[in-house]
Amino acid sequence: RTALKELEAQWGDDWIRVHRNALVCKSAIQSFNSVERKLAVTYQGKLAVLEVSRRHKPELRRWFKTLQVTQS
């Protein structure tokens, strides 16, 4: 069993932590929405609703803003 901290260190900037028990591959994310205070992520044409901890929301928002700027 591998700790998420180890995976984060190994995989680097390609993944983003959204909860203490969840990492999401950045390149697979197509869009973000909010559904009942949870994060709805569309990836590979499928919708997934993920629990995002308060602790990780600021980092996720910062990353998404940089993504929107680079797409403009």
Side-chain angles (χ1 to χ4, degrees), residues 39-67:
L39 176 70
V41 176
T42 304
Y43 67 97
Q44 299 175 348
K46 298 176 185 171
L47 180 68
V49 179
L50 308 170
E51 187 76 37
V52 177
S53 67
R54 285 180 285 161
R55 178 178 164 204
H56 296 289
K57 279 183 184 177
E59 178 187 358
L60 188 61
R61 284 187 183 122
R62 279 192 302 274
W63 172 73
F64 189 60
K65 283 181 183 179
T66 62
L67 182 67

Side-chain angles (χ1 to χ4, degrees), residues 5-70:
K5 281 191 175 207
E6 292 175 32
L7 293 175
E8 281 182 297
Q10 181 181 349
W11 294 341
D13 291 336
D14 296 334
W15 293 72
I16 191 163
R17 188 183 283 239
V18 297
H19 199 274
R20 63 182 161 89
N21 61 1
L23 293 172
V24 176
C25 180
K26 291 178 180 180
S27 63
I29 296 171
Q30 295 171 332
S31 67
F32 287 103
N33 294 303
S34 180
V35 175
E36 296 177 9
R37 294 186 164 194
K38 294 183 181 179
L39 176 70
V41 176
T42 304
Y43 67 97
Q44 299 175 348
K46 298 176 185 171
L47 180 68
V49 179
L50 308 170
E51 187 76 37
V52 177
S53 67
R54 285 180 285 161
R55 178 178 164 204
H56 296 289
K57 279 183 184 177
E59 178 187 358
L60 188 61
R61 284 187 183 122
R62 279 192 302 274
W63 172 73
F64 189 60
K65 283 181 183 179
T66 62
L67 182 67
Q68 290 175 326
V69 169
T70 58

